[in-house]
Amino acid sequence: MPGERAAEGQAGPAEDGTCGDLGGLTPEELRQGQEAALALEDMMALSSQTLVRAEVDELYQQVRPLGQGRYGRVLLVTHRQKGTPLALKQLPKASTSRRAFLYEFCVGLSLGTHAAIVGAYGVGIESAACYSFLTEPVLHGDLIAFIQPKVGGGPGGRVGGEPAGPRPGRCPARPQVGLAPAAARRCAAQLASALEHIHARGLVYRDLKPENVLVCDPRCRRVKLTDFGHTRPRGTLLRLAGPPIPYTAPELCQPPPLPEGLPIQPALDAWALGVLLFCLLTGYFPWDQPLAEADPFYEDFLVWRASGQPSDRPQPWAGLAPAADTLLGQLLDPEPRKRSAVSCVQAYLGQPWRQQEGPEGAGP
Ligand SMILES: Nc1ncnc2c1ncn2[C@@H]1O[C@H](COP(=O)(O)OP(=O)(O)OP(=O)(O)O)[C@@H](O)[C@H]1O
């Protein structure tokens, strides 16, 4: 989360009133992002006036921790009068500005109506040491615990970056890697739909990874996206902060088109969705970072894309069926303008994504 937004600008018209250099953004795309930014500013101003000033324990009973991120922790609590179970995300004031809190709170609130996005209750709380907000609790952990890693890892290492080998508590004899085929397709469909919903509101999610996908049931039938601290209006100018990860789109790794940075586009999320689907199907990352000069697995992928020859197919892609090749080829187009929108997933849901797919419905 909460990146302070002061350092972020937005691509905009040139001083002479023309559209100027929008860093590749069309005027319509720019308008969408500006409208989203204005709507969020309004919502933040209203929410700021209605924050509940109280200590969390006065209102809610703590049950147990649900998770910890870099910026905040999430607790399962119950409402003291009603007993309703709720998830409470707490962001310490020491490391979170009021503006950054309001931003994450309002983005979550504006998006939480979608079935595959964690629902928000519209209750923001200011305590002495923390800002907090309430969301629906999703009690089966995050997707990382459901992805069976390939023993020995893959090119870019195991998803989640834990030591190799089956995880404690999961069936060690199961040959399955990644997610079971039906569960992978269900996840893909729900996440693509959630991202479409975000993009249609002029926003870019920017943080797609299994840790931000919460699982609603033991068979991973329903999932929900959470954590909107990195979400920004389309066209926000951003630079890569820190080293790239497998989910980072290649255009963010290149020198930006404008001095202030790259105007962000939904194509960033399409790339991350492609990488996540690869992980769901194989149990490992396709590469460490999308830099041909630094990552031989990414370089092999580019060579295969350019030639289209089966003999150039990189070994990590070996188990994928033709439909998955085509789908991932569209989402992982290195050229953002040619990359397909996340909605392209829907066209491939009826076809096998892995060679020798097991029986449908075989969940983890
Ligand atoms: N509504 C919820 N229900 C259940 N668990 C949740 C919920 N929201 C978050 N969690 C758990 O808490 C963890 C941390 O939450 P979150 O990702 O929002 O924190 P963060 O500090 O913003 O994280 P990051 O370091 O990824 O930016 C999640 O990975 C998840 O396991």
Side-chain angles (χ1 to χ4, degrees), residues 9 33 38 48 50 58 61 74 76-77 132 142 145 147 151 171 173 201 206 216 237 289 302 335:
L38 286 175
S48 178
T50 58
E58 294 167 23
Q61 167 106 44
V74 181
L76 180 65
V77 300
S132 314
D142 60 41
I147 302 176
V151 176
C171 171
R201 276 146 193 80
R206 289 185 59 234
C216 303
L237 295 168
Q289 43 188 14
L302 293 184
E335 171 54 57

Side-chain angles (χ1 to χ4, degrees), residues 184-353:
R185 272 197 291 271
R186 281 194 302 263
C187 263
Q190 292 170 61
L191 292 177
S193 172
L195 291 170
E196 258 190 278
H197 176 78
I198 295 171
H199 298 163
R201 276 146 193 80
L203 297 168
V204 183
Y205 176 60
R206 289 185 59 234
D207 202 16
L208 188 66
K209 55 184 180 182
E211 294 87 334
N212 284 338
V213 179
L214 301 179
V215 180
C216 303
D217 57 278
R219 291 177 69 84
C220 200
R221 288 184 183 282
R222 289 186 51 230
V223 293
K224 286 180 187 260
L225 206 52
T226 187
D227 192 0
F228 298 97
H230 291 283
T231 304
R232 293 289 181 275
R234 181 175 208 167
T236 303
L237 295 168
L238 286 174
R239 290 171 170 282
L240 189 61
I245 58 172
Y247 300 104
T248 310
E251 60 270 25
L252 257 181
C253 305
Q254 305 304 322
L258 296 175
E260 304 90 336
L262 173 81
I264 59 162
Q265 291 275 28
L268 295 181
D269 291 336
W271 179 274
L273 182 63
V275 173
L276 180 60
L277 296 191
F278 184 94
C279 294
L280 296 184
L281 296 175
T282 64
Y284 49 79
F285 290 117
W287 42 72
D288 278 327
Q289 43 188 14
L291 286 168
E293 57 283 12
D295 191 310
F297 295 103
Y298 185 60
E299 191 184 8
D300 288 351
F301 169 71
L302 293 184
V303 168
W304 178 42
R305 268 192 85 87
S307 77
Q309 293 301 315
S311 56
D312 286 334
R313 184 185 181 82
Q315 195 280 329
W317 294 69
L320 302 183
D325 280 354
T326 314
L327 169 59
L328 294 179
Q330 291 179 13
L331 291 172
L332 296 173
D333 194 314
E335 171 54 57
R337 281 284 169 198
K338 295 189 192 148
R339 197 172 300 151
S340 292
V342 291
S343 55
C344 73
V345 167
Q346 312 297 346
Y348 295 90
L349 294 173
Q351 302 166 53
W353 287 2

Side-chain angles (χ1 to χ4, degrees), residues 102-129:
L102 285 169
Y103 184 82
E104 180 172 349
F105 172 53
C106 289
V107 174
L109 193 54
S110 69
L111 296 173
T113 49
H114 189 276
I117 292 180
V118 165
Y121 283 103
V123 179
I125 303 161
E126 180 171 4
S127 316

Side-chain angles (χ1 to χ4, degrees), residues 1-2 64-76 86-91 104 118-119 133-143 205 207 209-215 225-230:
M1 138 151 134
R64 65 177 167 91
L66 285 172
Q68 173 81 49
R70 270 169 302 164
Y71 302 100
R73 64 174 184 159
V74 181
L75 300 170
L76 180 65
L86 302 156
L88 179 104
K89 180 163 179 176
Q90 290 193 303
L91 296 157
E104 180 172 349
V118 165
F133 60 84
L134 292 166
T135 64
E136 64 173 310
V138 183
L139 297 178
H140 288 270
D142 60 41
L143 197 52
Y205 176 60
D207 202 16
K209 55 184 180 182
E211 294 87 334
N212 284 338
V213 179
L214 301 179
V215 180
L225 206 52
T226 187
D227 192 0
F228 298 97
H230 291 283

